[in-house]
């Protein structure tokens, strides 16, 4: 029997998932949680084989919860089950330790098969998610920061204003802003 913990902030979603999964002879939902932190606590207490985790929840994002569960509950595998398929969400979840990433439009059979595959140690990805990951891997690496951009960022980290940085580096305040904008762009910082 494969034990499952559901972590989603919507009670109706948890209820529907429970009904679908409990209908399978080899699957059993042993607990539910409505936030990332509550999911971490429940995983530690219940020690499920699989955690089905939503990513965006009030009261606690799924990514830190994935990191904590995979670090503190050995043998428990986390599958993300969400409506979000942005590049950033997918990468954050996989880097945090998720063994799978499915979308909520998956059929009951696809979901049950994914849970079984994850329990065998396999990685499970929705086809669109797999395509996104392949595209990310094929994308050239972003350019690194220049020495001046790194220097400007270090001074910002020390709490200096743009004007103070400009005076220290003997450049104009507009040039400091340009270096910061380029660094933010390279680091994908908004």
């Amino acid at each position: 029997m494969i034990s499952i913990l559901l972590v989603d902030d919507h009670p109706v979603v948890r209820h529907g998932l429970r009904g679908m999964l409990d209908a399978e002879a080899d699957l059993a939902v042993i607990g539910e949680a409505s936030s990332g932190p509550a999911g971490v606590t429940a995983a530690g207490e219940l020690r499920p084989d699989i955690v089905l985790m939503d990513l965006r929840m009030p009261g606690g994002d799924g990514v830190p919860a994935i990191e904590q569960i995979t670090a503190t509950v050995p043998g428990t595998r986390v599958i993300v089950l969400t409506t979000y398929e942005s590049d950033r969400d997918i990468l954050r979840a996989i880097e945090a330790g998720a063994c799978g990433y499915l979308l909520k439009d998956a059929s009951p059979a696809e979901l049950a098969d994914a849970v079984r595959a994850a329990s065998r140690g396999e990685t499970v990805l929705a086809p669109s998610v797999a395509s996104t990951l392949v595209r990310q891997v094929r994308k050239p690496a972003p350019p690194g920061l220049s020495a001046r951009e790194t220097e400007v960022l270090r001074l910002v980290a020390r709490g200096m204003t743009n004007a103070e940085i400009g005076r220290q580096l003997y450049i104009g305040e507009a040039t400091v802003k340009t270096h910061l904008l380029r660094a933010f762009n390279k680091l994908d910082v908004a």
Side-chain angles (χ1 to χ4, degrees):
M1 185 69 69
I2 301 169
S3 60
I4 304 163
L5 170 65
L6 304 175
V7 183
D8 193 294
D9 58 315
H10 296 97
V12 72
V13 171
R14 293 192 311 268
H15 180 76
L17 289 171
R18 179 181 282 275
M20 286 189 313
L21 296 168
D22 281 344
E24 300 288 326
D26 60 334
L27 306 179
V29 175
I30 60 168
E32 297 181 14
S34 61
S35 70
V40 171
T41 300
E45 292 170 358
L46 300 172
R47 305 259 178 215
D49 298 312
I50 303 292
V51 174
L52 285 178
M53 172 83 64
D54 194 3
L55 274 188
R56 298 184 191 174
M57 297 174 280
D61 185 358
V63 171
I66 293 167
E67 290 172 339
Q68 290 178 338
I69 291 169
T70 56
T72 61
V73 189
T76 294
R77 300 185 45 87
V78 180
I79 301 172
V80 170
L81 182 63
T82 188
T83 56
Y84 304 101
E85 60 178 319
S86 74
D87 295 7
R88 183 173 169 84
D89 287 329
I90 295 167
L91 290 174
R92 286 178 58 230
I94 299 299
E95 288 170 350
C99 73
Y101 198 106
L102 300 174
L103 301 176
K104 287 184 178 174
D105 65 356
S107 72
E110 289 171 329
L111 182 58
D113 288 344
V115 167
R116 291 181 187 106
S119 75
R120 292 189 302 267
E122 298 173 22
T123 299
V124 290
L125 300 171
S128 62
V129 170
S131 296
T132 298
L133 286 175
V134 168
R135 190 175 58 251
Q136 283 287 8
V137 169
R138 288 184 179 157
K139 196 167 41 170
L145 296 178
S146 70
R148 182 61 99 183
E149 290 162 349
T150 302
E151 188 175 22
V152 169
L153 284 176
R154 281 196 180 114
L155 295 174
V156 167
R158 290 185 189 154
M160 295 178 74
T161 67
N162 291 351
E164 291 169 335
I165 293 168
R167 281 193 298 276
Q168 181 165 336
L169 299 179
Y170 303 104
I171 58 178
E173 189 172 347
T175 305
V176 171
K177 289 178 185 178
T178 299
H179 286 304
L180 285 172
L181 287 173
R182 287 183 183 153
F184 292 161
N185 194 25
K186 289 178 181 179
L187 297 172
D188 197 25
V189 174

